[in-house]
Amino acid sequence: MTHFVDEPGTSHAGTKGIVLSRGVVLLLCLFGCALLWTSLFLARGEVNGTDFLALYAGARLVGTGHMYDPQAIWKVQLAAIGHYGPSLLFTRIPCFALFLWPLAQLPYAVAKAIWIAFQVLTIVGAVWLWPGSRRLALVVICWSLPLLMCLADGADTALLLFWLVLWLRLECENRPFSAGMALALCIAKFHLFLFLPLLLFRHRRWRVMQGAVAGICGLVILSFIAGGWHWPTEYFHVLTTPGINPGRYHMPNLHGLMPPGVEFPAMLLTLILCSVAIFKLNYTAGLIVSLFGSLLCSYHAYVMDGVILCPAIILLIERRHSRWLSYLAGILVTPIPWIAVLIRRP
């Protein structure tokens, strides 16, 4: 198996293989899953299982011109389950509602069951496609509380993991244009990938960037088909609605972790440090910095969005260049930091 490398088609001299026996992997996975379900039970008040409701409602409104109309969204939600969530608006570009349209033609309970099963398959696919130690990837996935919360809440964030892994895999196979097209799908939550364009530019991944631009153009064209000509202004209006950012203190980013007076200076410092690091470090290390920095600087992010750190954590453990960074990655694998964010109070 080829590791993710700094130049496609070559091996990374500093990468040390992670050797885990099948028995150790099985024990770690079982223990991790048990720990996660216990953690989820303790945090059950913070997981309402309704993120899929927003996706379902948006998909039901494809072609109606009301995809971003709160009243229309809430009406669909009331018809589906008998109540609605004021903050559960559709916040993806219209093409993703178009992709979900066939599922939204089914009763809500059936659609949600199929949706969760599909997400489980994508998680399995991400482990299988990981361009490194699949056993290590499986252990990290089984210990990921953000990923389990994605499944419990019906969120679509688990798909980001698959798209990121597919991007890395295609780069390793020296298929940069296809890799860029896979990366383009991350526009579903573009605010979680603020530093990736800088990373690609710094390391001259021109073909990846071309693939990403082509993929985004295709998604935008589909969005006009699904949402009409006025969807960009309607989408911007939804994104700037204060009600879609409840529970600031439960956000694992600078917006949630820092006091209001310190948030802007901390974000500015993070932007500078991450940008300098991306220009100084090699491609793989720059990728790790990009994912961590993007999550920290995102304005809207919750524990479930911590899924995007899974590739970075696996790469940190695989490379093992720094003992302290490996320890940090090990801590982030556990539910401890995520539970601390979930139970945090003003």
Side-chain angles (χ1 to χ4, degrees), residues 116-286:
I116 293 175
F118 173 70
Q119 293 215 84
V120 171
L121 289 176
T122 63
I123 293 169
V124 173
V127 173
W128 180 258
L129 291 175
W130 177 254
S133 171
R134 290 176 183 165
R135 294 182 182 182
L136 175 62
L138 178 60
V139 171
V140 170
I141 293 305
C142 287
W143 278 72
S144 175
L145 181 60
L147 195 54
L148 180 62
M149 289 187 64
C150 287
L151 297 177
D153 214 34
D156 59 345
T157 317
L159 296 178
L160 296 178
L161 173 65
F162 180 80
W163 295 331
L164 285 172
V165 171
L166 182 59
W167 161 46
L168 302 183
R169 178 73 182 213
L170 290 171
E171 278 226 64
C172 283
E173 294 178 353
N174 201 19
R175 298 164 61 188
F177 190 86
S178 297
M181 295 193 72
L183 189 59
L185 290 165
C186 291
I187 197 176
K189 285 199 167 188
F190 60 88
H191 60 287
L192 297 177
F193 305 100
L194 301 176
F195 287 104
L196 285 189
L198 180 62
L199 174 74
L200 297 175
F201 175 80
R202 160 63 182 88
H203 291 277
R204 301 181 179 181
R205 284 333 204 237
W206 309 126
R207 288 290 289 168
V208 176
M209 295 175 70
Q210 290 170 4
V213 170
I216 290 173
C217 288
L219 294 174
V220 169
I221 292 171
L222 288 176
S223 292
F224 279 107
I225 294 173
W229 292 107
H230 301 292
W231 75 262
T233 55
E234 296 168 354
Y235 180 56
F236 178 78
H237 178 71
V238 167
L239 294 184
T240 55
T241 302
I244 67 169
N245 292 295
R248 164 184 171 175
Y249 286 90
H250 299 315
M251 294 186 181
N253 56 15
L254 296 177
H255 180 57
L257 299 175
M258 294 293 174
V262 182
E263 178 186 349
F264 179 76
M267 182 171 294
L268 183 60
L269 179 62
T270 303
L271 286 169
I272 294 172
L273 292 177
C274 288
S275 298
V276 171
I278 289 170
F279 273 85
K280 292 287 187 180
L281 299 173
N282 61 43
Y283 191 45
T284 306

Side-chain angles (χ1 to χ4, degrees), residues 299-315:
Y299 183 79
H300 177 95
Y302 293 93
V303 168
M304 291 173 288
D305 296 312
V307 165
I308 70 166
L309 298 185
C310 286
I313 290 171
I314 298 171
L315 286 170

